[in-house]
Amino acid sequence: MELNKYQATPIQRLSENLNNNSYYIKRDDLIPISFGGNKARKAVLFFEDLILTKSDCVVTYGSSSSNHCRVIANISAAKGIPCHIISPTVSSYPTTNSEMIKLFGAFVTKCPVSQVSTTIERKMDELRAKGYNPYFIQGGGHGDIGTQSYINAYEEIVDYEKSSGMYFDYIFHTSGTGTTQAGLVCGKILHGDEREIIGISNARKNPNGSQVVLESVNSYLLSQNKEPIVSEAIVFIDDYVLDGYGSHNDKILQTIRDVLIKDGIPMDTTYTGKAFWGMQEYIKKNHITDKKILFIHTGGTPLFFDKLEDLNDER
Ligand SMILES: *Cc1c(COP(=O)(O)O)cnc(C)c1O
């Protein structure tokens, strides 16, 4: 498996024309490793670091529907590295991702949410005692390395703009742990750009949600000896989380059908479909018109298949 040989992901025009804006989508779902997505973009850099630190097994965290755990388990299997996943008992129902995690031979340890950090520590100690040099990756690929991967994505966007002669006024995307947003915001700061980067939360509420993004941005900037920024610079919108992680409504299902039918692009109810709907609502509410808007497709294709029946049923 070659991890660092893929090109910039495509940017395509969408048929959407709400408020006379033009809409484009950056297809990070097409990163050619393990069904792509932002977790694949992050994982590539984590595995570079794993090799640099001469680690020989992985420990990470996530639910049974985790895109992150699927990608990490896939790459680990390809490299012949044992992969240990700590998973909260509450969200351990089978999904397309959990079936693949099984297929990749990852070792899953379930525990109550309250015991996650002690279970991770115990697993790390146990592996060290067995003579391993375990590499820990935070849930969702959070941390400076994950942030770096979305600075790289920002560079791809700037390159696209240079070659096409256009400029995106807004970049929208789903914000979860906030690492994707932190990388895009850092990229914008490093380039001195003025545009708005708007993270549509799929679960977290403010002030915590935007605080985590801010901490990630400043952690990265400080590591590069740059000035930290203030919270006003983070636009983390929590108006469209509904009842939190995984909750969705009929409008989201309709948005997913529309984009799939008109543009042939699959989105899911937990992340991208929910944020795309949230973006439309945000654009209406804030009367944004005649702008160039880029939406980042952060992946989650296996989740699309988990909800395919709902897309047909609830018509
Ligand atoms: C994890 C995930 C996100 C959220 O990314 P963060 O970097 O955690 O904010 C968005 N979309 C998809 C498909 C994901 O799997």
Side-chain angles (χ1 to χ4, degrees):
M1 184 187 277
E2 285 190 310
L3 292 185
N4 50 10
K5 298 254 165 74
Y6 67 86
Q7 315 202 317
T9 54
I11 292 179
Q12 307 170 246
R13 177 94 190 247
L14 290 172
S15 345
E16 175 70 68
N17 61 1
L18 174 67
N19 281 9
N20 206 36
N21 297 303
S22 42
Y23 295 83
Y24 292 76
I25 191 163
K26 181 166 174 62
R27 300 291 307 276
D28 269 12
D29 57 318
L30 298 182
I31 288 175
I33 298 160
S34 193
F35 295 84
N38 64 350
K39 304 312 184 302
R41 190 183 274 283
K42 297 179 196 183
V44 167
L45 298 193
F46 280 108
F47 274 84
E48 273 180 16
D49 193 47
L50 176 145
I51 290 163
L52 279 177
T53 55
K54 298 195 169 31
S55 306
D56 52 15
C57 66
V58 181
V59 177
T60 193
Y61 166 76
S63 73
S64 64
S65 61
S66 168
N67 293 314
H68 166 71
C69 292
R70 176 245 310 155
V71 173
I72 298 298
N74 197 162
I75 301 175
S76 299
K79 303 241 169 252
I81 293 169
C83 175
H84 297 268
I85 295 171
I86 313 301
S87 197
T89 332
V90 278
S91 48
S92 59
Y93 49 88
T95 66
T96 308
N97 278 330
S98 71
E99 290 299 315
M100 280 195 272
I101 288 166
K102 206 196 245 176
L103 173 78
F104 299 137
F107 303 100
V108 179
T109 305
K110 289 180 186 156
C111 70
V113 184
S114 60
Q115 284 166 30
V116 166
S117 53
T118 49
T119 309
I120 290 170
E121 273 171 43
R122 213 177 305 133
K123 182 57 74 184
M124 295 289 285
D125 289 343
E126 180 191 312
L127 289 165
R128 286 191 196 101
K130 284 183 183 159
Y132 283 104
N133 181 18
Y135 187 85
F136 177 63
I137 307 178
Q138 283 191 54
H142 193 60
D144 286 353
I145 291 177
T147 302
Q148 179 65 56
S149 75
Y150 269 86
I151 296 177
N152 299 354
Y154 192 89
E155 298 294 339
E156 293 177 12
I157 295 166
V158 171
D159 286 346
Y160 176 87
E161 291 177 319
K162 276 187 194 143
S163 64
S164 66
M166 65 146 74
Y167 185 81
F168 296 112
D169 304 291
Y170 291 84
I171 299 175
F172 283 88
H173 65 94
T174 317
S175 214
T177 70
T179 317
T180 299
Q181 185 162 11
L184 294 169
V185 170
C186 286
K188 171 184 137 168
I189 292 168
L190 297 173
H191 277 269
D193 290 338
E194 285 299 320
R195 67 177 121 233
E196 294 246 38
I197 300 199
I198 302 181
I200 305 287
S201 174
N202 72 324
R204 286 184 184 163
K205 296 291 279 181
N206 282 323
N208 175 46
S210 63
Q211 187 61 33
V212 177
V213 179
L214 180 70
E215 282 164 13
S216 301
V217 168
N218 284 338
S219 162
Y220 185 87
L221 292 175
L222 289 170
S223 78
Q224 305 294 308
N225 295 316
K226 298 262 182 334
E227 285 292 304
I229 58 160
V230 293
S231 62
E232 287 70 32
I234 306 296
V235 187
F236 181 93
I237 303 300
D238 67 358
D239 295 341
Y240 310 106
V241 298
L242 306 173
D243 293 328
Y245 187 87
S247 62
H248 59 274
N249 61 21
D250 287 350
K251 285 181 183 158
I252 294 172
L253 291 173
Q254 194 52 45
T255 301
I256 295 173
R257 283 183 205 112
D258 285 346
V259 177
L260 181 64
I261 292 167
K262 290 187 196 145
D263 295 295
I265 300 170
M267 298 197 296
D268 74 279
T269 53
T270 305
Y271 295 103
T272 53
K274 191 170 185 176
F276 199 89
W277 163 73
M279 171 183 80
Q280 292 169 326
E281 296 298 312
Y282 182 92
I283 282 169
K284 284 187 238 165
K285 184 174 159 193
N286 292 283
H287 310 289
I288 296 169
T289 60
D290 304 295
K291 295 285 191 269
K292 292 214 164 33
I293 293 173
L294 180 66
F295 181 82
I296 308 213
H297 193 316
T298 42
T301 303
L303 305 183
F304 167 82
F305 291 102
D306 287 340
K307 288 289 186 305
L308 191 49
E309 274 181 43
D310 293 14
L311 287 169
N312 264 327
D313 285 352
E314 295 171 31
R315 299 194 87 144

